[in-house]
Amino acid sequence: MNCEVCQLKELVVEPFEIREVLRCILHTIVFHRALGLVRPKDVDSELFEITYVQCGDAELEKKIEEKIDHFIGWVDKHPNRKSQVCLSFYEVKSKQPTWFSNKTERLHWEEWYVNLHVVNRKGNGKFRQNKAAVDHGENSVEERSSRRAVLETSLRDVLFQIIKFVNERKDHIPQVSNSEVISFPYEITIPRLNCIFPIKNK
């Protein structure tokens, strides 16, 4: 089976931005690959001037939040690292039965790699009451605002990259055989960490 792979543009984020960035990206991917009956729900990002769409499925939202929690927990212990989150879709097929076993295998048909470079930027610390300290504080606010604008633009680029991919790559998608919201099994893993926290829908 042909497995299509999409490497998304790397985003430089601070720890407090991880959750919203992953929510936007993972829900956008899942929504466009949810081939069953969905109840689209528009969600306004808490950090960015961006609205993305969720499937309106509480169980799916819970699973994605759990995976994000795992990733954030790892980042807390390993700051200033580049890492990936992989969302993959697959089919489950029965292997050729043998005398000793009758096993199944996963045939992945699509993999999405979310590339994040998490950086911890130093805070302003304690300010002394002088002009230099005030100027430093003002510059820090301006720098943070400017950096946030850059990240928001880059996040929009990633969302458009997702939409472009799903519109152009369709021939590899297996035939839908059920009416569930998410028609195929999926899992979310952290491949670069050598520490995988799988979250499956089946």
Side-chain angles (χ1 to χ4, degrees):
M1 175 181 288
N2 180 34
C3 180
E4 293 284 350
V5 177
C6 182
Q7 290 279 355
L8 297 174
K9 173 183 177 181
E10 183 180 272
L11 299 175
V12 179
V13 300
E14 293 187 52
F16 74 94
E17 296 165 328
I18 294 173
R19 185 175 300 278
E20 274 303 292
V21 167
L22 287 180
R23 280 174 176 168
C24 290
I25 295 173
L26 294 177
H27 279 290
T28 298
I29 295 170
V30 171
F31 175 76
H32 284 284
R33 285 300 186 236
L35 305 177
L37 298 175
V38 299
R39 297 179 179 177
K41 181 174 73 172
D42 289 342
V43 178
D44 294 326
S45 171
E46 297 175 5
L47 288 179
F48 310 103
E49 292 296 321
I50 289 177
T51 299
Y52 60 97
V53 182
Q54 293 183 355
C55 293
D57 183 87
E59 187 62 26
L60 171 62
E61 293 173 24
K62 179 182 176 182
K63 290 177 180 178
I64 289 179
E65 286 300 307
E66 288 175 356
K67 185 65 203 102
I68 294 174
D69 286 339
H70 283 302
F71 181 74
I72 290 175
W74 188 91
V75 168
D76 287 342
K77 298 176 182 177
H78 305 83
N80 297 310
R81 295 281 290 274
K82 291 188 177 185
S83 57
Q84 290 180 319
V85 174
C86 177
L87 169 58
S88 56
F89 298 92
Y90 61 91
E91 281 189 294
V92 177
K93 297 285 189 180
S94 296
K95 284 186 175 181
Q96 185 81 21
T98 65
W99 287 103
F100 305 104
S101 65
N102 186 12
K103 296 183 179 179
T104 60
E105 62 179 336
R106 294 181 185 178
L107 300 175
H108 289 81
W109 52 269
E110 192 167 87
E111 295 178 344
W112 298 82
Y113 289 91
V114 183
N115 297 291
L116 299 181
H117 183 189
V118 183
V119 296
N120 286 321
R121 301 184 187 276
K122 294 181 179 179
N124 296 333
K126 296 181 179 179
F127 293 108
R128 295 179 181 175
Q129 295 301 319
N130 57 40
K131 186 177 185 301
V134 172
D135 288 343
H136 175 72
E138 290 177 350
N139 288 337
S140 295
V141 172
E142 291 175 1
E143 289 173 6
R144 182 174 288 272
S145 176
S146 176
R147 196 198 63 77
R148 176 70 60 80
V150 170
L151 174 57
E152 183 172 312
T153 298
S154 296
L155 180 55
R156 289 180 187 276
D157 290 343
V158 168
L159 298 181
F160 282 121
Q161 184 182 355
I162 293 169
I163 294 170
K164 184 174 186 290
F165 184 93
V166 298
N167 286 334
E168 293 179 351
R169 310 288 181 88
K170 299 177 181 179
D171 294 341
H172 64 290
I173 301 176
Q175 183 175 353
V176 176
S177 60
N178 62 64
S179 60
E180 296 182 23
V181 174
I182 309 299
S183 302
F184 298 98
Y186 66 93
E187 64 181 352
I188 303 173
T189 58
I190 310 176
R192 282 193 181 176
L193 308 187
N194 294 321
C195 182
I196 299 179
F197 303 99
I199 294 182
K200 312 178 188 73
N201 72 325
K202 292 183 181 179

